[in-house]
Amino acid sequence: MSLNVDESAADGAAEPLTPPLPPPPSPPHRIRSDAEALAAARAVARVFAAGAAERDRDRRLPWAEIAAFTESGLGGITVPRAHGGAGVSHATLAEVFAILAAADGSAAQIPQNQFGVLALVAAAASPAQQARIYRDVLAGHRIGNAGPARNGKAITNVDTRLTAGPEGPRLSGTRFYSTGALFAHWIPTRAVGPDGGPLLVFVRRDAPGVRVADDWQGFGQRTTASGTVVFAQAPVEADLTIDLAPLAGRPGLFGPVSQLIHAAIDAGLARGAAAAALDFLRSRTRPYPFTAETVAEDPHILGEIGRLTVDLHAAEEVLARAGRALDRIAAAPVTAQSAAEASVAVAQAKILTTEAALEASERLLELAGASATRDGYNLGRYWRDARVHTLHDPVRWKYHLLGNHALNGVLPARHQWN
């Protein structure tokens, strides 16, 4: 993960192994309601939690766990009801990701980009394109991501190009920070079209000329496989290129939706770390000498747990409030003002969930004591995951966004990081 956007491959790393292709999709369960989505998330979270410490320690990618996510039907919960999906609320979407991330932050982040892409599809795709993509998602196809280019001064720089030819359009370029691409059936990426305009291009994971490198080397979120995608004259279906140019002048919610999910992952990491702290304190930690007979009677530990509980609940409530704000805003035509309100609400949540994730994962080790640092427990993964994931679109710019809006009335810029 870079300091400003997402995960990155390490320069100078050893040549990565060639990853396998995902198996062909099979029809998953069809979720019909918000309540069913939350129940499915709790069931999948139990699958994610089993062996999470070992997967992190051995850097063993969660293929079976992602398959369980897909089979549960969670991948299609934001598909509109008119297209056969559950069309769940944004508040439910955030809670689903918080539940999953509390169990395994890495596995929870892998499907994140699918929902960010689906929000972009809802904002920019034609009705025929939407119908095609929604149908594939409900049939079990996973959507990954080919993130920004490394070249150029700005993360918005796009040097991946779609060219026209006698055999159809071809895509060429190299992209980094590609969470979910390795497990995906479709890899969407931003590209420059033949006329120079911005596009979102869907490419099949198994298409000729597509290579996904498992070269993510971060010390946290270790099993997200957020490495590199190379397109070398990869064939593209002409009807799956989405024109993004109209979005420049049209307010939308695809940025706040993406940010809401990232904030939810941080909230889940905080929730998981807090639960691990309580479990370790109850079962393994001994009281500091001369303070109390048991850890449960130590006044300092009780005070710290109380503060941690309050901070976590505050972050979760602001996250839920942001989800409800997006639900209200999405129910009416989105304007420049309402899009700004959505970005502000989500920025507030991102700040508090970031702080809660870092605080809870640090307090876990501090309160549990030296024995909690043993490799066998691998409790350090909570801090490593929180530290790495919270570097995604750093919160220092969220404070700037909020201050500039409150003091000067400046509307936040509209992009996927706001």
Side-chain angles (χ1 to χ4, degrees):
M1 181 176 295
S2 79
L3 292 180
N4 291 303
V5 282
D6 203 339
E7 301 89 350
S8 72
D11 292 323
E15 183 69 18
L17 297 174
T18 301
L21 290 172
S26 57
H29 173 71
R30 187 71 63 90
I31 290 175
R32 301 291 185 182
S33 68
D34 290 59
E36 190 179 358
L38 293 172
R42 296 184 190 102
V44 173
R46 290 192 288 271
V47 177
F48 279 15
E54 292 76 18
R55 288 194 302 274
D56 174 87
R57 184 174 56 241
D58 302 335
R59 199 178 178 278
R60 180 159 40 85
L61 299 184
W63 283 99
E65 290 71 25
I66 295 304
F69 173 90
T70 304
E71 291 164 5
S72 74
L74 285 171
I77 59 175
T78 61
V79 171
R81 293 182 181 178
H83 288 271
V88 303
S89 69
H90 294 94
T92 292
L93 179 64
E95 180 59 14
V96 163
F97 270 90
I99 290 169
L100 297 175
D104 183 341
S106 286
Q109 191 182 347
I110 289 167
Q112 179 267 327
N113 280 307
Q114 174 157 317
F115 294 92
V117 168
L118 287 176
L120 194 55
V121 167
S126 70
Q129 289 170 329
Q130 290 176 350
R132 165 73 185 280
I133 294 166
Y134 293 152
R135 185 170 62 248
D136 271 9
V137 168
L138 292 175
H141 290 78
R142 289 191 290 270
I143 296 175
N145 173 57
R150 177 168 290 176
N151 299 325
K153 293 182 178 180
I155 58 177
T156 52
N157 178 69
V158 176
D159 57 9
T160 301
R161 293 190 172 273
L162 187 71
T163 56
E167 298 181 353
R170 295 290 186 270
L171 186 71
S172 294
T174 300
R175 313 291 286 183
F176 301 89
Y177 325 138
S178 302
T179 306
L182 188 145
F183 303 87
H185 301 99
W186 287 106
I187 304 177
T189 190
R190 299 199 182 210
V192 176
D195 62 354
L199 300 171
L200 181 68
V201 180
F202 277 70
V203 187
R204 288 200 62 83
R205 166 79 168 83
D206 58 1
V210 175
R211 183 173 70 88
V212 180
D214 180 19
D215 55 1
W216 164 237
Q217 298 293 325
F219 67 72
Q221 297 295 91
R222 284 168 47 83
T223 62
T224 56
S226 301
T228 304
V229 176
V230 178
F231 303 107
Q233 289 292 298
V236 172
E237 295 182 36
D239 60 351
L240 282 180
T241 61
I242 299 173
D243 183 10
L244 298 180
L247 289 182
R250 188 172 73 232
L253 296 180
F254 63 90
V257 169
S258 179
Q259 288 295 294
L260 181 76
I261 299 170
H262 280 297
I265 292 170
D266 293 335
L269 290 170
R271 191 183 295 179
L278 293 176
D279 178 69
F280 204 91
L281 287 168
R282 290 173 180 141
S283 60
R284 295 182 179 88
T285 302
R286 294 175 295 179
Y288 192 71
F290 317 117
T291 58
E293 291 295 322
T294 66
V295 168
E297 298 170 318
D298 186 314
H300 297 291
I301 287 180
L302 292 175
E304 289 297 316
I305 290 296
R307 186 177 71 171
L308 181 61
T309 300
V310 169
D311 290 346
L312 175 58
H313 287 177
E316 290 176 327
E317 178 53 36
V318 174
L319 176 68
R321 188 177 69 180
R324 294 192 296 270
L326 264 64
D327 291 330
R328 173 174 50 78
I329 292 166
V334 179
T335 66
Q337 289 291 339
S338 66
E341 181 186 351
S343 291
V344 166
V346 175
Q348 293 171 341
K350 185 69 165 63
I351 288 171
L352 290 187
T353 57
T354 290
E355 293 176 350
L358 294 172
E359 181 74 7
S361 57
E362 172 70 18
R363 286 289 176 265
L364 162 60
L365 299 174
E366 179 181 334
L367 298 177
S371 62
T373 65
R374 293 176 179 172
D375 285 342
Y377 299 133
N378 196 18
L379 294 178
R381 74 184 188 279
Y382 290 102
W383 181 86
R384 289 186 285 101
D385 287 349
R387 180 63 283 178
V388 169
H389 187 262
T390 57
L391 295 177
H392 195 290
D393 40 86
V395 294
R396 62 181 178 272
W397 286 107
K398 303 300 183 189
Y399 284 109
H400 177 274
L401 178 158
L402 295 175
N404 208 16
H405 180 263
L407 182 61
N408 300 317
V410 175
L411 303 186
R414 294 198 296 268
H415 51 65
Q416 69 193 77
W417 298 284
N418 275 350

